Amino acid sequence: ETGVTQTPRHLVMGMTNKKSLKCEQHLGHNAMYWYKQSAKKPLELMFVYNFKEQTENNSVPSRFSPECPNSSHLFLHLHTLQPEDSALYLCASSQRRDRGPLLIYEQYFGPGTRLTVT
Amino acid sequence: KNQVEQSPQSLIILEGKNCTLQCNYTVSPFSNLRWYKQDTGRGPVSLTIMTFSENTKSNGRYTATLDADTKQSSLHITASQLSDSASYICVVSAILTGGGNKLTFGTGTQLKVEL
């Protein structure tokens, strides 16, 4: 398996459910990201992890809970979501090569999880 | 306010024709500008990354230009193919005071190539 993989590819959940999205990168990168992509809107950066440590949380509601057990895996735990949370959730990874700011490095995206909250 | 605006919002062209997509930005201080191609239902794939000192960069039939003075970039697609049908997203990176940085995404241009 190469690149960045995400599972599941599609998820339908009720507002009272708890589910998790999984991302795995096979590129040897040291940083991982969660993005939300809603229709007709720009991608929104949600969380940034650098060497398993969360370095950025862009005011994301607590019903989204990220977890990064190691540099290759990233999870997004979901609970009590709202219908407006329905979107494509994208995972990305990058390799920080020097001490420059993390987001200047090229990011490689997974195929995304299409989430529908009913 | 940092913004990235893309035009047109959508575009339909015939196979074999050329087209140019525009990206205007107000992001500052500028670090780099990227163009991504996103097929329907898939994640974005990087086409080019350009820094301040680069004003043109090619990747096969895709050529990106950057004018850092006017804060404009364009993506030119030559001899379009049906597989070029996708959303093309412009992303600008800014370096913040204190060493952090921020990505600002455009909403994308939806390109459809028809027979």
Side-chain angles (χ1 to χ4, degrees):
Chain A
E1 188 103 54
T2 59
V4 181
T5 58
Q6 290 186 243
T7 54
R9 293 294 310 276
H10 301 271
L11 178 63
V12 179
M13 59 185 289
M15 289 190 283
T16 58
N17 291 158
K18 286 185 180 181
K19 296 286 184 183
S20 295
L21 309 184
K22 179 183 176 183
C23 174
E24 185 173 358
Q25 60 95 359
H26 311 270
L27 300 168
H29 289 169
N30 50 30
M32 298 185 77
Y33 313 80
W34 278 118
Y35 286 88
K36 176 184 179 183
Q37 188 176 34
S38 304
K40 309 287 186 189
K41 292 176 68 175
L43 269 78
E44 302 169 50
L45 181 61
M46 301 173 71
F47 301 104
V48 179
Y49 277 84
N50 185 27
F51 287 107
K52 304 187 298 177
E53 288 192 18
Q54 188 180 129
T55 58
E56 197 161 330
N57 174 342
N58 282 322
S59 304
V60 180
S62 60
R63 57 186 185 268
F64 295 92
S65 173
E67 178 191 358
C68 188
N70 54 60
S71 294
S72 300
H73 294 84
L74 185 64
F75 295 89
L76 188 62
H77 303 299
L78 316 170
H79 64 98
T80 59
L81 294 191
Q82 305 297 311
E84 59 265 28
D85 296 323
S86 298
L88 181 68
Y89 288 85
L90 291 160
C91 173
S93 70
S94 68
Q95 178 67 18
R96 189 180 196 179
R97 291 182 180 80
D98 51 39
R99 299 187 67 81
L102 188 59
L103 295 180
I104 67 172
Y105 300 103
E106 182 170 1
Q107 297 180 7
Y108 295 80
F109 286 84
T113 294
R114 172 66 63 186
L115 174 67
T116 303
V117 181
T118 60
Chain B
K1 181 181 177 184
N2 287 335
Q3 283 187 313
V4 174
E5 296 189 356
Q6 293 187 242
S7 62
Q9 268 192 329
S10 61
L11 180 63
I12 300 175
I13 61 173
L14 294 177
E15 187 181 29
K17 297 295 186 184
N18 304 335
C19 67
T20 300
L21 314 180
Q22 299 290 343
C23 174
N24 296 339
Y25 62 92
T26 58
V27 176
S28 179
F30 177 87
S31 173
N32 60 50
L33 183 145
R34 316 167 195 189
W35 283 95
Y36 283 93
K37 177 188 178 189
Q38 185 176 20
D39 293 313
T40 301
R42 307 295 297 273
V45 174
S46 178
L47 295 175
T48 64
I49 297 181
M50 287 188 293
T51 58
F52 186 88
S53 59
E54 298 172 296
N55 46 27
T56 187
K57 204 162 203 178
S58 292
N59 177 359
R61 294 180 296 103
Y62 300 101
T63 299
T65 65
L66 173 65
D67 185 334
D69 292 330
T70 61
K71 299 188 177 180
Q72 296 179 324
S73 175
S74 65
L75 181 69
H76 186 73
I77 305 175
T78 306
S80 61
Q81 300 175 359
L82 296 178
S83 58
D84 292 329
S85 296
S87 178
Y88 290 84
I89 302 171
C90 176
V91 185
V92 182
S93 171
I95 293 181
L96 307 176
T97 53
N101 77 307
K102 181 177 175 64
L103 293 179
T104 304
F105 290 80
T107 53
T109 291
Q110 189 67 43
L111 173 66
K112 185 173 182 183
V113 180
E114 294 182 336
L115 289 170

